Amino acid sequence: MLGATSLSLNYANITEGLSDTLYARTAKELHDFIKSIRAEGAQSDLNLPRVVVVGNQSAGKSSLVEAISEIKVPRDAGTCTRCPMELRLSSSAPDEPWSCQVFIRWEPSALDGRPAGEVPFGKPLTSETQDDIELVLRRAQAAVLNPQIGFEHVLTRTPEELSSLMTQAPYRFSKNVVCVDISGPDLPDLSFVDLPGLIQNDEGKGEVPLVESLVRSYISSSNTLIMLTLPMTGQNMHLQQIIPIWRPSNAPVDDIQNQKAAQLAREVDPHGLRTIGVLTKPDALLDGSLGQKETYLNIVEGRAHQTKHGYFIVRLPDDAERRDGITHSDARVAEAKFFAERRPWATSSHRHRFGVKNLVKSVSEPLTELIRADLPRVHQEVSAQRAACIKQLAELPPQTSEPQSHVYRLISLFVEEVRKVVEGSPSTPELVQSNKRSYTKLAQAIRESAPPFVPYVTQEKAVQLDMFVSPHARAKTTLIHLDSVRERIQACLTRELPNNIPYSVKRAFIQDFQTRWESDVMDCLDEVESTFKRILMNIVRVHFSRFKTLERAVRTIVLDLVDVHAVTAKQQQKFLLKYESNPPATQNTSDLAKLRAKWLEQYKEARAQASASNTDNSATSAPVPSLSQPAQVSQPQDHIPFSFAVPPLERSSTIFNPFMPTASGGLFGVSTPRPSSGPAPARLPSRRKPNAAADAATKQTPAKTTTQSEQPSSPQIVPFWERVASAQTQAPALATTPAATSATAPATAPPAPAPVPMPQVMFGVSDMKQTPAPASTPAPAPTMTPSPAPPLLAPLGSTTTVANAAIPANAPSSSAPDAYEDELGLMAEVRAYFDISCKRFVDYVPQAIDEHLLYAFAEGLLDALVERLGLAAEDAGARCARYVAEDPDVAARREALLAKKARLDRVHKELYTFGL
């Protein structure tokens, strides 16, 4: 056994010359440099290298901190340390006295309303007042947990008052740090952070997760060395239960409560590259626990559980020694004596891993190397963060001395961009492209509202159904068959003449397909309005996000203005819907006639195909009279504009009189157009008494062909009864054979002219199918022999119709009409009018939306902003100053950036001074 004197000499040799070596001087410079930049609050910005002491409660952590720093720290039953405590040790010259200064560092992540950085707490302590350090640390911790109380009210508190103050503190734990700068001749150059001890049970106070979160935030950094404190206690406890960090994954874990610190260390450092194990309380092992002692010795000497930094064993004063007031030097002598006299420590070949001094030296070396290796990264990160701060400060709202002109400029740029968006410039096509999609969807919906007419009877097989109603539209509507149209016509018959379709039926069909237009139009308008608002809000945010007050004001004005113009646009859409729902009308009679003929032809073709495949049904169908003529319609020169406003006969400019022809020569109030070329039709004979002399002169005078230039300017007016009588008397003559006709005709007579058919009447439009005469030689009028007129009422009871009155003998015979001729004509007319109405409607709706919502908004935006922002008022300058005033959030961000930049500037200066 070695003597105490030899132990003291060996202990002195261990520590001799640490502060005078080249390494120590280099380490001191590095540690001083890190301390200086950490004092500027740069730890949170730069992640500087550091050592963190962690451990469970009752693991001997506080005793280890006292042994390294040579000061007394607060001790209480339960959790005493409630905030991080950073101890920064620095060696001084032999002639310089011991000194200590306590600081409180307010971290940027937990400002508590205070600026980030370190502030002194109390006066510096000297060797004469060294015993007051424990009370000062208690007061500093109370100030951290009670930031609402000033330092001057805490520095004078007694221990009893501090205990009450800690109980009433608004915070149980804090991230703000109590910093202790200690300088002395025998101190090493080392800095480390003491964290609150981990606890397993807090009796429902909620402190367990708070402490774990605080410890995890410190040890997670890759630049942190973890000094893990583990007690060597327990008579029957297996070593793997005490040191479970790098144990096999299948090893048992029974004492979780005492190993929480080890579990956290293993989570953040699974390979043990940053963890330094410190085994405490070796004197707690019983003398007979030879197996446990041998196992611990194998770990310390690296034969088991090998790690990068290995394990150390320290012997710290027990409660009795602390009660007796043992000094730090006496504690180190007692520690050296323990390892020199107790086996197996005394015979170990790794005695450099026993004792606090050896631990401090071994921790200082990796920390110094970590600092030295990390300085280039710190330099680069400082430069990068300074540049980022400068950029972020430049992005903040400028503080201008001319707020009124600045607001005008912002408003003008905003209005100009809105106009580009509405116009659809290449740089801002979003609104126009979105609206095009909305308008296309509207047009599709309007087209699908077409009347679902099908030229079939309900029982018939549909041959070409997709030609008339699309599959998508069939899924949303009920098809209208010919028999359904007939039922609707019969239900509306009142006082109409025979074979006349009631006008109300046609108008009802037209109104049916217009009923859903309003919902489609309003959906389209709402979609355009929603898109417009969304794009406008994005533009407002881009232009005014720097000035929250101005942004809120402009946003309100813009939304209100959009709502106003949206109401106007909706009213305009209602006008358009009302125009279409009024009595149907159009000036586009040419296209209407062509569309009617087209649809009628398609209906008849489909009808014929259906009849071919349904011969049985067609054979039993009895033909009925038809009101419409299935012929190609040519537009007359003096046509009447089309309108559904009144029934067809009421649209005539001549009062209807069945016994008096119109001025144009038509019957029943229908104007008969005069052919533009060819001979004029023969005049029917008059009922007046014949004049013999005039007749003889007529017979002697050869027939004279009347050219186009010699035709009378207006047709001859012939009474109705004369036309009827003439038709009856001329019927036999017109029915003669061609040979007989040629015998009585002059030898030089040209061929007979083409027949002049009766006009077609279609919803107020007088059209007829004309067959023009050859252009070479005008043909004379056919010869008609007058006959005696029948009684006045003869036409009414006779089978001879008015249409047969002037039909030449060579006129072609018409085919038998379809059983649903009238219904087909009605369907063709309604479908043709839908095409006309649909085309103009889907054009007018987008134009009205663009004009009354988009363009009107863009034109009135500048005036609305100037007026409602008060830019033309007497106090415009004061208003604009409030608009561009610093927002509280922006002001706080500017202050934080300026403070960070100031810290980084000081760190950059320290780096430059240090030679980097």
Side-chain angles (χ1 to χ4, degrees), residues 486 489-490 493-503 506 623-629 648-649 761 763 801 817-819 821-823 825-826 829:
R486 174 172 291 180
I489 293 174
Q490 293 175 352
L493 288 175
T494 55
R495 295 180 181 274
E496 291 81 9
L497 291 175
N499 301 328
N500 276 271
I501 297 177
Y503 168 71
K506 304 170 186 178
V624 295
S626 175
L627 295 179
S628 56
Q629 300 297 326
L649 296 182
V761 180
F763 290 86
T801 62
D818 190 282
E821 188 76 18
D822 298 338
E823 288 77 5
L826 182 145
E829 292 173 3

Side-chain angles (χ1 to χ4, degrees), residues 494-640:
T494 55
R495 295 180 181 274
E496 291 81 9
L497 291 175
N499 301 328
N500 276 271
I501 297 177
Y503 168 71
S504 60
V505 178
K506 304 170 186 178
R507 183 171 181 181
F509 276 122
I510 293 173
Q511 291 177 343
D512 286 346
F513 67 72
Q514 293 175 346
T515 54
R516 51 178 285 190
W517 285 9
E518 182 173 2
S519 62
D520 294 332
V521 169
M522 293 307 168
D523 290 343
C524 177
L525 178 57
D526 292 340
E527 188 173 343
V528 172
E529 180 185 356
S530 176
T531 302
F532 192 35
K533 286 183 176 180
R534 175 178 57 80
I535 294 176
L536 287 174
M537 292 302 99
N538 291 336
I539 302 175
V540 169
R541 183 175 63 255
V542 170
H543 284 265
F544 304 104
S545 59
R546 295 181 177 182
F547 307 100
K548 296 301 181 182
T549 303
L550 183 59
E551 180 185 5
R552 289 190 292 267
V554 173
R555 183 187 297 113
T556 301
I557 296 172
V558 167
L559 292 177
D560 291 347
L561 190 60
V562 172
D563 292 339
V564 169
H565 290 291
V567 171
T568 304
K570 289 181 181 179
Q571 188 63 40
Q572 292 299 322
Q573 300 305 319
K574 291 182 179 179
F575 288 156
L576 292 177
L577 290 166
K578 187 176 182 181
Y579 298 156
E580 294 297 332
S581 62
N582 281 339
T586 182
Q587 297 296 321
N588 193 5
T589 56
S590 176
D591 288 346
L592 183 68
K594 294 177 183 178
L595 289 170
R596 180 190 181 277
K598 182 199 75 171
W599 281 109
L600 185 59
E601 181 181 0
Q602 293 182 1
Y603 287 153
K604 287 190 173 183
E605 289 179 358
R607 180 95 175 118
Q609 295 179 11
S611 298
S613 61
N614 299 275
T615 54
D616 295 339
N617 295 336
S618 300
T620 58
S621 300
V624 295
S626 175
L627 295 179
S628 56
Q629 300 297 326
Q632 295 291 336
V633 179
S634 61
Q635 183 62 39
Q637 296 178 358
D638 53 348
H639 67 277
I640 301 174

Side-chain angles (χ1 to χ4, degrees), residues 579-858:
Y579 298 156
E580 294 297 332
S581 62
N582 281 339
T586 182
Q587 297 296 321
N588 193 5
T589 56
S590 176
D591 288 346
L592 183 68
K594 294 177 183 178
L595 289 170
R596 180 190 181 277
K598 182 199 75 171
W599 281 109
L600 185 59
E601 181 181 0
Q602 293 182 1
Y603 287 153
K604 287 190 173 183
E605 289 179 358
R607 180 95 175 118
Q609 295 179 11
S611 298
S613 61
N614 299 275
T615 54
D616 295 339
N617 295 336
S618 300
T620 58
S621 300
V624 295
S626 175
L627 295 179
S628 56
Q629 300 297 326
Q632 295 291 336
V633 179
S634 61
Q635 183 62 39
Q637 296 178 358
D638 53 348
H639 67 277
I640 301 174
F642 170 82
S643 174
F644 279 136
V646 295
L649 296 182
E650 296 181 10
R651 294 291 299 174
S652 174
S653 59
T654 305
I655 300 177
F656 172 72
N657 187 343
F659 303 103
M660 180 62 67
T662 62
S664 59
L667 296 177
F668 298 100
V670 179
S671 61
T672 304
R674 176 168 47 84
S676 59
S677 62
R683 180 179 177 182
L684 297 178
S686 175
R687 288 183 50 125
R688 63 182 177 81
K689 184 178 182 180
N691 188 324
D695 293 342
T698 303
K699 292 179 180 180
Q700 296 175 0
T701 305
K704 181 180 180 181
T705 302
T706 304
T707 63
Q708 183 176 359
S709 61
E710 295 174 345
Q711 291 179 2
S713 59
S714 61
Q716 300 295 326
I717 302 176
V718 181
F720 167 74
W721 51 84
E722 292 187 9
R723 289 194 174 201
V724 175
S726 176
Q728 290 177 344
T729 57
Q730 293 182 26
L734 295 175
T736 58
T737 62
T741 304
S742 60
T744 59
T748 59
V756 181
M758 291 298 289
Q760 270 191 357
V761 180
M762 184 183 68
F763 290 86
V765 183
S766 177
D767 297 323
M768 72 178 186
K769 185 175 183 180
Q770 302 176 2
T771 304
S776 59
T777 305
T783 303
M784 299 181 182
T785 304
S787 61
L792 180 62
L793 297 179
L796 301 178
S798 175
T799 57
T800 303
T801 62
V802 176
N804 296 328
I807 300 178
N810 58 352
S813 61
S814 61
S815 59
D818 190 282
Y820 290 93
E821 188 76 18
D822 298 338
E823 288 77 5
L824 292 172
L826 182 145
M827 290 162 54
E829 292 173 3
V830 174
R831 191 64 173 84
Y833 181 73
F834 169 82
D835 292 346
I836 297 293
S837 177
C838 172
K839 289 179 180 179
R840 70 188 178 197
F841 190 70
V842 297
D843 282 341
Y844 290 157
V845 168
Q847 293 174 1
I849 293 177
D850 287 349
E851 176 62 29
H852 297 284
L853 177 59
L854 305 182
Y855 288 112
F857 172 86

Side-chain angles (χ1 to χ4, degrees), residues 358-570:
N358 290 326
L359 171 65
V360 170
K361 180 180 178 180
S362 298
V363 171
S364 297
E365 290 177 356
L367 179 60
T368 302
E369 294 301 324
L370 184 61
I371 293 173
R372 183 181 290 109
D374 200 49
L375 283 181
R377 181 198 64 83
V378 172
H379 184 271
Q380 294 177 359
E381 192 168 348
V382 168
S383 300
Q385 292 196 23
R386 287 181 71 246
C389 281
I390 294 173
K391 180 181 178 181
Q392 293 174 12
L393 286 171
E395 292 175 353
L396 293 178
Q399 296 175 321
T400 177
S401 58
E402 295 292 337
Q404 191 168 358
S405 61
H406 189 63
V407 171
Y408 268 111
R409 186 177 66 86
L410 292 175
I411 295 298
S412 300
L413 293 175
F414 171 69
V415 172
E416 182 63 25
E417 183 170 354
V418 170
R419 288 177 178 173
K420 290 181 180 180
V421 169
V422 172
E423 292 290 342
S425 66
S427 60
T428 56
E430 181 182 1
L431 177 63
V432 175
Q433 292 179 357
S434 176
N435 290 350
K436 282 184 177 180
R437 291 190 291 269
S438 300
Y439 297 153
T440 301
K441 185 168 66 175
L442 171 66
Q444 181 66 25
I446 297 299
R447 292 190 187 100
E448 290 182 355
S449 68
F453 291 136
V454 291
Y456 312 111
V457 181
T458 305
Q459 294 80 9
E460 290 180 340
K461 179 181 179 181
V463 180
Q464 295 178 337
L465 197 59
D466 292 345
M467 179 186 298
F468 308 106
V469 186
S470 66
H472 185 265
R474 291 202 303 269
K476 300 186 296 184
T477 186
T478 302
L479 300 180
I480 302 178
H481 296 79
L482 289 170
D483 47 349
S484 300
V485 176
R486 174 172 291 180
E487 292 176 0
R488 194 161 183 176
I489 293 174
Q490 293 175 352
C492 295
L493 288 175
T494 55
R495 295 180 181 274
E496 291 81 9
L497 291 175
N499 301 328
N500 276 271
I501 297 177
Y503 168 71
S504 60
V505 178
K506 304 170 186 178
R507 183 171 181 181
F509 276 122
I510 293 173
Q511 291 177 343
D512 286 346
F513 67 72
Q514 293 175 346
T515 54
R516 51 178 285 190
W517 285 9
E518 182 173 2
S519 62
D520 294 332
V521 169
M522 293 307 168
D523 290 343
C524 177
L525 178 57
D526 292 340
E527 188 173 343
V528 172
E529 180 185 356
S530 176
T531 302
F532 192 35
K533 286 183 176 180
R534 175 178 57 80
I535 294 176
L536 287 174
M537 292 302 99
N538 291 336
I539 302 175
V540 169
R541 183 175 63 255
V542 170
H543 284 265
F544 304 104
S545 59
R546 295 181 177 182
F547 307 100
K548 296 301 181 182
T549 303
L550 183 59
E551 180 185 5
R552 289 190 292 267
V554 173
R555 183 187 297 113
T556 301
I557 296 172
V558 167
L559 292 177
D560 291 347
L561 190 60
V562 172
D563 292 339
V564 169
H565 290 291
V567 171
T568 304
K570 289 181 181 179

